[in-house]
Amino acid sequence: MTLQQRQEQENSRTHSVATHCPYCAFQCGMLLGGSPQQPWIEGDRRFQVNKGGLCLKGWTAPETLAHAERLRTPLKRQPDGRLLPVSWDEALESVVHFIQATQQRYGKEAVGVFGSGALTNEEAYLLGKFARLALNTSQIDYNGRFCMSSAAEAMNRAFGLDRGLPFPLEDLAQAEVILLVGSNIAETMPPLMQYLDRQQRAGGLLITVDPRQSLTARSGQRHLRLTPGSDAALANGLLHILIRDGLIDEEYITRRTNNFAAARAMAAAYWPERVERLTGVPEQDLTAVAHLLAQARSAIILTGRGAEQQRQGVTNVLAYINVALALGLVGKPGSGFGSLTGQGNGQGGREHGQKANQLPGYRRIDDPAARAYLAHVWGINAEELPGPGRSAYEMLSSLGTPNGVRCLFVMGSNLVVSAPSALHIEERLAALDSLIVCDFFLSETARLATIVLPVTQWAEEEGTLTNLEGRVIHRRRVFQPPAGVWDEISVLCELARRLGKGQYFPFRSAREVFEELRRASAGGLADYAGITYEKIDAHQGVFWPCPSLEHPGTPRLFSDGFPTADGRARFHVTHYQGPGEEPDQDYPLYLSTGRILTHYQSGSQTRRIGQLQALSPEPLIEIHPTTARVHGLQEGDLALLSTRRASMQGRIKITEAIREDTLFVPFHWGDTQAVNRLTNPALDPISRMPEFKVCAARIERLTNPDA
Ligand SMILES: Nc1nc2c(c(=O)[nH]1)N[C@H]1C(S)=C(S)[C@@H](COP(=O)(O)OP(=O)(O)OC[C@H]3O[C@@H](n4cnc5c(=O)[nH]c(N)nc54)[C@H](O)[C@@H]3O)O[C@H]1N2
Ligand SMILES: Nc1nc2c(c(=O)[nH]1)N[C@H]1C(S)=C(S)[C@@H](COP(=O)(O)OP(=O)(O)OC[C@H]3O[C@@H](n4cnc5c(=O)[nH]c(N)nc54)[C@H](O)[C@@H]3O)O[C@H]1N2
Ligand code: SF4
Ligand SMILES: [Mo]
């Protein structure tokens, strides 16, 4: 390093800004400086959550800022089919024209909005308001439906409130036993592992439940390698053993819960031999885990997408909550139940009104009092507010149909890669009158758009996000956005103005939107009324609910009661149903999907980062050695993977860590490498979550890859 280079680096360091990572819900604090072309980045040691740690995705995140493929001008589909640059004025005028033409012909509801857990609280709030007030449509939902909806519904039903972790992360380090269900933290939130490491160094036990002995499972003391889709049976089996062996907390159950009798009667049918047959988990392992949980002075049960992204995702989560309640864990320090939120703002993004059934502050759109309150804040009549709309997959399936959405506005999702049965979704998108996509890259979805609007990225805009603990944090702006790019707040306000609704969208900054969000959420379950940017900065974030400026925020929930009608938590009857598709002669294996360390979600960002792409250039199909042998497959072979819906090509990765009856494929790739062309869109009846985690599949060697 020359002297000049060293001096420049020192300059960057001293002029760096504390901000947060663009990706997952752990929202690591980072110091970012230099320039978009030559960024300087370091983990923020002063931020209590990650304590300086970053994963490889965080370290390389600044590369997206000055990326050569960055969109810098709006694009418009030409009569000859090409997407060509146009001015902002022409693009916005076209968007307004498309919206109005569709609404005049087919009614207000023919315009739909698809939002994202990647948006800041301010953007998510404004997008919900834009749909209801500027577009007058009920048709809005978001990609979090594919992520947190099962856990959210289950926690709402059992506890009366959904905050992914109802306790601070610090509690994880204090727990004697952690039961981690269907989550691979070591690859999906690596800096979170420091809490589990501390827990284990202090003598604590980590027990994992996963069909794969994942990187995370390997770091724990016990692993239950269950059959995909059998979580409810496993949890009911644990409850059965706890009751049988007299290990439940009778006093807690009587004092703090209701409906236990129904759960007890249900659990009677899950005797361990039966559970062993359903889950493949040996009876003695199940018994040992039940006893370890019961003997611990403090224990935490956590679920991730493994148990939640199923046709019975809500039931699965409720079944694990039953276990936590029977042990009296919920509301005790160092103990409890939680679900690990996924997207950067997966928590805040589900609180402020971009869900089909929701108004800001985690209010229900079908609740007359909530409607009256929001109408008052927004200065309209409650009758003008649309009712509940369709959930994500149902809206996407309706595209271009007679009563469906015909003009779709997408902000922050690459849904042709990430929605289930993706070929069907592609067909539906093609049937639209118009598709408008706001993104900073030409994602697989943006490639299909009528209009593409280029927007700012994380480090170029200010806003708040709510991390997996319910801690509201401040993402600061570090760099000027490139010329030609608008931030989402300006896009929404300008569109509203051109649609004749400008009086409701007078915002000039994220802070101004946040001021209205505070009022809109006041009195709701997710109450942000007492949170300000200054307070966040002074305290490394503020936990909601925070109803007043004097209020310190609420790191720990449920210590003295539950926000339910009777103040008690509720047990549920959680019978095991099995997955929507079981293996059969034609499709003899289970296929499960998920994530690997190097890529984020649909890969639209991380597949553009050289280092990450070089580490994982293509999807690998994980298969057990015995199964590989039976199918004549060797490491590195190209294989054809098929389900009842479609086929894809992928390379074989042989691993002892997976069950013999199961294959695992990450969903980070598009087009012919998209595993979502294969997945089953069967939906959970309550959360409308698709069954990403289980379907029936067949695998064969590809002798002629080009055919
Ligand atoms: N590297 C990386 N990190 C990410 C993301 C990313 O895309 N890449 N995305 C972020 C987001 S939005 C999310 S939602 C989180 C998700 O984070 P995780 O939930 O940790 O991730 P997944 O890989 O989807 O699933 C976790 C595990 O579920 C297991 N599983 C599969 N089927 C079953 C089953 O039937 N039962 C049980 N118990 N387990 C099963 C899989 O084998 C897998 O190991 O990650 C966040 N972090
Ligand atoms: N098979 C299978 N499918 C899955 C899952 C699975 O486990 N298996 N997991 C599901 C889960 S948990 C999730 S969360 C979804 C996520 O899937 P997607 O909704 O596709 O999420 P991303 O890949 O993050 O897509 C975000 C897109 O928006 C852009 N973007 C990022 N940030 C912003 C922003 O702030 N503003 C705007 N305007 N654009 C932005 C990115 O460039 C990218 O093109 O996938 C789901 N799909
Ligand atoms: S763990 Fe999540 S927030 Fe932290 S650096 Fe990695 S992707 Fe970013
Ligand atoms: Mo997610």
Side-chain angles (χ1 to χ4, degrees):
M1 206 185 275
T2 65
L3 190 64
Q4 194 195 343
Q5 280 170 328
R6 201 167 291 149
Q7 241 156 24
E8 276 170 13
Q9 202 183 50
E10 198 40 52
N11 260 341
S12 300
R13 190 193 301 270
T14 39
H15 291 107
S16 67
V17 177
T19 191
H20 294 273
C21 175
Y23 302 122
C24 85
F26 204 62
Q27 278 304 297
C28 292
M30 48 173 61
L31 303 175
L32 186 58
S35 65
Q37 291 71 28
Q38 279 195 309
W40 177 88
I41 180 175
E42 191 178 84
D44 185 353
R45 288 195 186 80
R46 283 168 310 179
F47 188 61
Q48 300 162 359
V49 176
N50 58 310
K51 305 180 196 325
L54 295 179
C55 78
L56 192 54
K57 295 187 298 303
W59 282 114
T60 52
E63 274 184 53
T64 56
L65 296 168
H67 197 280
E69 290 171 44
R70 180 82 193 264
L71 296 173
R72 288 157 196 275
T73 159
L75 304 172
K76 183 177 174 184
R77 181 84 50 198
Q78 303 300 315
D80 65 6
R82 285 182 306 164
L83 260 184
L84 292 184
V86 292
S87 69
W88 269 97
D89 187 53
E90 183 178 346
L92 293 170
E93 228 16 69
S94 304
V95 172
V96 168
H97 164 77
F98 288 132
I99 289 170
Q100 287 174 339
T102 296
Q103 290 195 322
Q104 267 154 26
R105 198 149 165 217
Y106 302 103
K108 300 281 188 198
E109 302 278 287
V111 174
V113 175
F114 200 91
S116 171
L119 303 178
T120 60
N121 289 319
E122 291 81 355
E123 291 162 352
Y125 167 81
L126 206 60
L127 191 65
K129 183 174 180 183
F130 178 77
R132 272 75 177 233
L133 251 73
L135 301 175
N136 260 180
T137 182
S138 69
Q139 300 296 302
I140 172 167
D141 214 54
Y142 78 128
N143 62 8
R145 184 71 68 173
F146 299 154
C147 182
M148 292 307 296
S149 59
S150 291
E153 287 288 351
M155 291 177 81
N156 277 327
R157 276 158 201 252
F159 308 141
L161 182 70
D162 151 44
R163 198 180 85 189
L165 294 183
F167 45 77
L169 279 161
E170 258 328 294
D171 281 20
L172 293 179
Q174 316 302 329
E176 271 188 22
V177 174
I178 294 178
L179 184 71
L180 181 66
V181 180
S183 172
N184 184 11
I185 293 169
E187 295 202 57
T188 54
M189 292 183 189
L192 204 164
M193 289 302 282
Q194 62 188 297
Y195 292 85
L196 303 188
D197 293 343
R198 271 165 57 203
Q199 182 244 355
Q200 291 171 73
R201 273 204 307 275
L205 291 180
L206 173 65
I207 306 167
T208 51
V209 182
D210 195 308
R212 301 185 304 146
Q213 192 174 22
S214 64
L215 199 58
T216 317
R218 270 171 265 163
S219 79
Q221 283 69 43
R222 269 175 187 271
H223 171 219
L224 305 181
R225 197 186 290 209
L226 86 174
T227 307
S230 67
D231 287 274
L234 189 142
N236 293 344
L238 288 174
L239 185 60
H240 180 103
I241 295 166
L242 293 176
I243 295 170
R244 183 195 68 189
D245 297 351
L247 299 171
I248 57 174
D249 187 339
E250 304 267 11
E251 193 268 333
Y252 178 95
I253 293 171
T254 317
R255 197 165 47 85
R256 302 212 46 192
T257 71
N258 65 35
N259 208 32
F260 178 62
R264 189 210 312 257
M266 179 270 310
Y270 293 85
W271 57 92
E273 301 83 352
R274 177 174 179 229
V275 172
E276 177 169 335
R277 272 200 311 281
L278 294 175
T279 64
V281 173
E283 186 186 333
Q284 67 269 27
D285 289 0
L286 199 68
T287 307
V289 167
H291 282 251
L292 285 170
L293 279 169
Q295 281 152 11
R297 269 168 307 184
S298 56
I300 290 177
I301 301 179
L302 296 171
T303 60
R305 299 309 81 74
E308 298 165 11
Q309 290 173 325
Q310 298 184 27
R311 185 181 68 142
Q312 57 167 335
V314 177
T315 300
N316 290 340
V317 178
L318 285 170
Y320 286 110
I321 289 178
N322 281 345
V323 176
L325 290 176
L327 289 167
L329 302 178
V330 183
K332 280 190 198 156
S335 287
F337 173 87
S339 166
L340 297 161
T341 295
Q343 298 181 85
N345 197 26
Q347 179 68 53
R350 65 185 195 260
E351 298 165 3
H352 298 298
Q354 58 172 338
K355 275 174 96 167
N357 50 353
Q358 189 196 61
L359 289 173
Y362 226 131
R363 291 181 162 92
R364 292 191 59 97
I365 203 166
D366 55 8
D367 168 9
R371 296 171 64 82
Y373 181 74
L374 256 296
H376 164 72
V377 174
W378 287 346
I380 56 166
N381 290 320
E383 304 81 67
E384 293 172 58
L385 274 178
R390 292 185 183 87
S391 72
Y393 187 76
E394 288 157 314
M395 191 204 312
L396 297 179
S397 298
S398 88
L399 301 181
T401 62
N403 293 316
V405 165
R406 292 179 171 262
C407 164
L408 183 69
F409 186 89
V410 179
M411 189 174 262
S413 177
N414 187 8
L415 44 94
V416 294
V417 177
S418 55
S421 196
L423 280 175
H424 167 65
I425 299 300
E426 247 176 87
E427 268 171 34
R428 298 310 341 141
L429 287 172
L432 283 170
D433 297 352
S434 49
L435 171 65
I436 299 139
V437 176
C438 303
D439 208 309
F440 36 77
F441 287 128
L442 197 64
S443 68
E444 282 79 359
T445 309
R447 277 194 334 230
L448 307 173
T450 329
I451 303 276
V452 182
L453 301 176
V455 292
T456 45
Q457 293 193 37
W458 54 291
E460 301 157 357
E461 60 191 15
E462 183 178 43
T464 64
L465 295 93
T466 305
N467 83 350
L468 75 172
E469 310 160 283
R471 184 197 295 257
V472 184
I473 56 162
H474 182 190
R475 195 189 266 171
R476 286 188 195 77
R477 173 160 149 167
V478 185
F479 301 123
Q480 290 289 335
V485 157
W486 284 30
D487 64 78
E488 282 94 337
I489 291 174
S490 304
V491 170
L492 293 173
C493 291
E494 178 58 18
L495 281 175
R497 192 185 67 77
R498 292 179 186 229
L499 287 162
K501 297 293 171 78
Q503 73 269 34
Y504 302 114
F505 295 83
F507 310 104
R508 283 161 309 172
S509 67
R511 278 174 193 253
E512 289 184 7
V513 179
F514 192 73
E515 288 308 306
E516 190 178 284
L517 186 160
R518 288 175 58 198
R519 274 186 285 128
S521 72
L525 283 169
D527 192 333
Y528 283 40
I531 305 179
T532 62
Y533 281 27
E534 289 69 30
K535 194 160 161 183
I536 295 174
D537 292 348
H539 299 100
Q540 304 205 0
V542 180
F543 289 81
W544 70 258
C546 181
S548 66
L549 284 173
E550 305 72 47
H551 193 285
T554 316
R556 211 172 263 106
L557 293 163
F558 314 143
S559 335
D560 5 271
F562 294 93
T564 50
D566 60 3
R568 291 157 178 263
R570 188 170 178 82
F571 279 94
H572 285 80
V573 171
T574 53
H575 276 297
Y576 161 80
Q577 282 167 13
E581 264 181 19
E582 289 281 3
D584 58 16
Q585 245 182 344
D586 297 336
Y587 299 94
L589 298 166
Y590 289 107
L591 168 64
S592 195
T593 65
R595 295 157 169 83
I596 53 170
L597 174 67
T598 35
H599 287 290
Y600 189 68
Q601 313 278 62
S602 72
S604 182
Q605 289 149 283
T606 51
R607 277 185 280 122
R608 290 184 162 86
I609 294 179
Q611 196 185 344
L612 302 179
Q613 187 59 4
L615 284 169
S616 319
E618 58 182 348
L620 300 179
I621 304 171
E622 290 185 19
I623 185 170
H624 190 273
T626 309
T627 319
R629 209 173 314 119
V630 169
H631 290 82
L633 290 162
Q634 288 181 350
E635 182 80 12
D637 277 354
L638 259 191
L640 187 70
L641 177 64
S642 313
T643 67
R644 289 200 172 75
R645 288 150 296 277
S647 301
M648 70 173 274
Q649 298 181 14
R651 228 168 259 290
I652 290 296
K653 176 184 173 188
I654 295 179
T655 168
E656 298 263 359
I658 195 163
R659 289 172 56 94
E660 286 184 26
D661 60 2
T662 305
L663 306 168
F664 178 87
V665 182
F667 77 103
H668 306 297
W669 285 267
D671 302 316
T672 53
Q673 295 176 311
V675 75
N676 267 330
R677 293 185 170 186
L678 280 63
T679 47
N680 185 359
L683 299 185
D684 182 292
I686 300 166
S687 65
R688 320 311 280 165
M689 168 73 88
E691 190 147 68
F692 288 120
K693 286 294 187 266
V694 212
C695 65
R698 174 174 74 221
I699 190 150
E700 56 217 299
R701 210 168 125 213
L702 206 59
T703 34
N704 180 2
D706 300 327

